[in-house]
Amino acid sequence: MFLLLLPGLAFAGGGPLGIDSELPLDTGGIWAHKYQTGIENGVIAVELAGALWLGNDDKLGHTFWQDIDSTASSGIAAQLLKYGFSRARPYQGGNPNAWFKGSCCQSFPSGEVTLQAAFVTPLIVNYYKQDPWIWALEALPVYDAIARLKSRAHWQTDVIAGGLLGTAFGYWATTRQMPLSVQVLPRGVSIGISKRF
């Protein structure tokens, strides 16, 4: 029955996949930017505190070090892509085909969604077999994607690209025996504060 309603709900959009369109502006309630920022800061705090507290020798600590690799490298990649594509945001004219506009425009890809996907991917890859509930962490990038669309800060392809970019770097981080962030630090830092007491 639901499938019969889909043609009435569909509408044409623009952008590279033809799906980009503006959603009705909604920056209230759970979609307020302060909550997006809070989750972003929380993710960074959790991975840093977890990595330093547990250390690389602990399985969860090792995963947090992978998170640091994943979020840092994907964040750099996202920022480089933003400069390279310089796509206008929805609130900057409402044209999803406005690419290469210069330093004013940094819509593609969504850095926030990239961060969330990069954070959850190592946790999911390392724990999904023993704890299937870990897949619930996918709610973080999904929430952030919807919030960014509702605030008209990104197009649909921006958040999709951010999710894919974060996931790719997250998976890459799990394939490394020794996280890059551990390799550049003195050995004492990666032992974990909890093991020193």
Side-chain angles (χ1 to χ4, degrees), residues 46-63:
V46 165
E47 69 185 14
L48 287 174
L52 292 174
W53 182 256
L54 297 171
N56 190 51
D57 296 332
D58 180 88
K59 182 180 179 184
L60 182 57
H62 180 73
T63 301

Side-chain angles (χ1 to χ4, degrees), residues 6-50:
L6 285 178
L9 298 175
F11 55 92
L17 300 178
I19 62 170
D20 292 325
S21 60
E22 288 186 43
L23 295 184
L25 182 64
D26 184 0
T27 57
I30 65 168
W31 308 117
H33 194 257
K34 65 181 178 179
Y35 297 118
Q36 298 168 46
T37 304
I39 292 173
E40 183 178 340
N41 293 335
V43 159
I44 294 168
V46 165
E47 69 185 14
L48 287 174

Side-chain angles (χ1 to χ4, degrees), residues 2 4 7 26 37 40 44 60-62 66 71 74 83 91-92 109 126 153 161 165 172 188 193:
F2 179 72
L4 297 174
D26 184 0
T37 304
E40 183 178 340
I44 294 168
L60 182 57
H62 180 73
Q66 291 173 334
T71 57
S74 66
Y83 288 133
Y91 66 77
Q92 294 175 311
N126 290 337
L165 183 66
W172 164 80
I193 296 169

Side-chain angles (χ1 to χ4, degrees), residues 154-192:
H154 287 288
W155 301 102
Q156 284 83 350
T157 50
D158 297 339
V159 298
I160 291 169
L164 292 173
L165 183 66
T167 300
F169 273 95
Y171 182 76
W172 164 80
T174 65
T175 65
R176 296 187 50 81
Q177 185 72 21
M178 178 68 69
L180 285 174
S181 51
V182 172
Q183 288 179 324
V184 299
L185 295 174
R187 175 72 181 137
V189 174
S190 67
I191 289 174

Side-chain angles (χ1 to χ4, degrees), residues 78-79 81-89 91-92 101-112 148 153-154 158:
Q79 196 58 49
L81 289 169
K82 284 175 178 286
Y83 288 133
F85 286 109
S86 56
R87 185 183 197 188
R89 296 176 185 270
Y91 66 77
Q92 294 175 311
K101 295 297 178 186
S103 61
C104 71
C105 307
Q106 296 186 2
S107 184
F108 185 87
S110 169
E112 293 86 351
R148 300 305 287 160
H154 287 288
D158 297 339

Side-chain angles (χ1 to χ4, degrees), residues 96-169:
N97 297 310
W99 298 81
F100 309 108
K101 295 297 178 186
S103 61
C104 71
C105 307
Q106 296 186 2
S107 184
F108 185 87
S110 169
E112 293 86 351
V113 177
T114 300
L115 170 72
Q116 298 300 337
F119 172 72
V120 303
T121 300
L123 290 163
I124 292 170
V125 168
N126 290 337
Y127 287 97
Y128 78 94
K129 288 181 182 174
Q130 70 188 61
D131 295 310
W133 62 267
I134 199 82
W135 284 99
L137 287 175
E138 287 292 350
L140 289 174
V142 168
Y143 160 79
D144 208 57
I146 294 169
R148 300 305 287 160
L149 292 172
K150 285 182 168 282
S151 64
R152 293 187 181 165
H154 287 288
W155 301 102
Q156 284 83 350
T157 50
D158 297 339
V159 298
I160 291 169
L164 292 173
L165 183 66
T167 300
F169 273 95

